[in-house]
Amino acid sequence: SQQGEEDPQALSIQEGENATMNCSYKTSINNLQWYRQNSGRGLVHLILIRSNEREKHSGRLRVTLDTSKKSSSLLITASRAADTASYFCATDMDTGRRALTFGSGTRLQVQP
Amino acid sequence: DVKVTQSSRYLVKRTGEKVFLECVQDMDHENMFWYRQDPGLGLRLIYFSYDVKMKEKGDIPEGYSVSREKKERFSLILESASTNQTSMYLCASSSRQGTRPLHFGNGTRLTVT
């Protein structure tokens, strides 16, 4: 099964509300990254958190990492209709594997 | 800005055809990757390359091969296309240095009939 599993699979909120997406993984990591994908397009890198960090901010994005629980969350504050997209977590595993492993994604719909 | 260009946005091929998907990046990245994306399964790694003429199998290499003759170009080859290879194919590149966030192309949606 996937290294990263996102929860929920789909999320629908109103503009202005906060959106929280969770990611769980199975093996030790060097870092965890979040990506965004607009419909029919490639993924865009949003933010990276290293294994020795607990929280990171970038604009309206806040990422937390709990390595003891092997989980991460992505919070988008004051969401906008333009935030509608799919969001993926990806892990850089501490196994020497040179490629990221992606989860199945959360589909976020922000209603105007 | 890094640009990763995939040669086709949409492709329709017949079962048994040999299919080439091309990807070019313009940032001198050492690493290049091919993922396929299917609903409910996320992105799955097919092959990746960390240098010219070097390649490593990902999680689902069966039915695929790759070629990296030049640093900027990474090709995915479907030796004999089958209907279960209908999917979105995403190419990505990254620097070998540091934390290596990926830069993606816009994808090729392949339909095999």
Side-chain angles (χ1 to χ4, degrees), chain A residues 29-33 48-51 90-93 100, chain B residues 99:
Chain A
I29 60 172
N30 294 315
N31 64 71
L32 185 144
Q33 305 178 28
L48 178 150
I49 187 164
R50 299 173 200 272
S51 60
T91 50
D92 182 358
M93 290 190 280
L100 296 181
Chain B
T99 53

Side-chain angles (χ1 to χ4, degrees), chain A residues 97 99, chain B residues 21 33-38 43-48 56-66 74 76-78 85 87-90:
Chain A
R97 174 176 161 119
Chain B
L21 302 184
F33 308 83
W34 277 106
Y35 288 88
R36 69 175 276 178
Q37 182 177 22
D38 301 287
L43 278 72
R44 293 179 291 168
L45 181 67
I46 305 172
Y47 267 98
F48 64 101
E56 282 195 28
K57 293 180 180 179
D59 300 315
I60 52 164
E62 297 79 18
Y64 303 95
S65 62
V66 290
F74 192 35
L76 179 69
I77 304 153
L78 285 65
Q85 292 178 309
S87 187
M88 171 71 98
Y89 290 87
L90 292 164

Side-chain angles (χ1 to χ4, degrees), chain A:
Chain A
S1 62
Q2 299 282 82
Q3 156 76 337
E5 296 289 345
E6 279 95 337
D7 169 54
Q9 289 187 337
L11 181 60
S12 182
I13 59 174
Q14 297 295 123
E15 216 167 18
E17 293 180 340
N18 296 341
T20 301
M21 288 158 268
N22 303 296
C23 170
S24 60
Y25 58 91
K26 295 174 181 167
T27 62
S28 296
I29 60 172
N30 294 315
N31 64 71
L32 185 144
Q33 305 178 28
W34 285 90
Y35 288 78
R36 167 195 168 122
Q37 183 182 35
N38 288 350
S39 180
R41 313 296 282 187
L43 281 72
V44 175
H45 180 258
L46 293 176
I47 194 166
L48 178 150
I49 187 164
R50 299 173 200 272
S51 60
N52 61 354
E53 297 175 312
R54 292 298 165 258
E55 188 170 311
K56 202 158 183 183
H57 296 254
S58 176
R60 294 184 295 113
L61 304 181
R62 174 179 165 244
V63 170
T64 61
L65 179 65
D66 187 334
T67 52
S68 66
K69 294 181 179 178
K70 292 187 168 60
S71 68
S72 174
S73 67
L74 171 68
L75 169 68
I76 304 174
T77 59
S79 63
R80 305 166 181 166
D83 294 328
T84 294
S86 291
Y87 293 83
F88 294 86
C89 70
T91 50
D92 182 358
M93 290 190 280
D94 186 18
T95 57
R97 174 176 161 119
R98 300 192 225 202
L100 296 181
T101 302
F102 284 81
S104 52
T106 292
R107 197 168 57 255
L108 173 65
Q109 176 78 41
V110 182
Q111 308 283 357

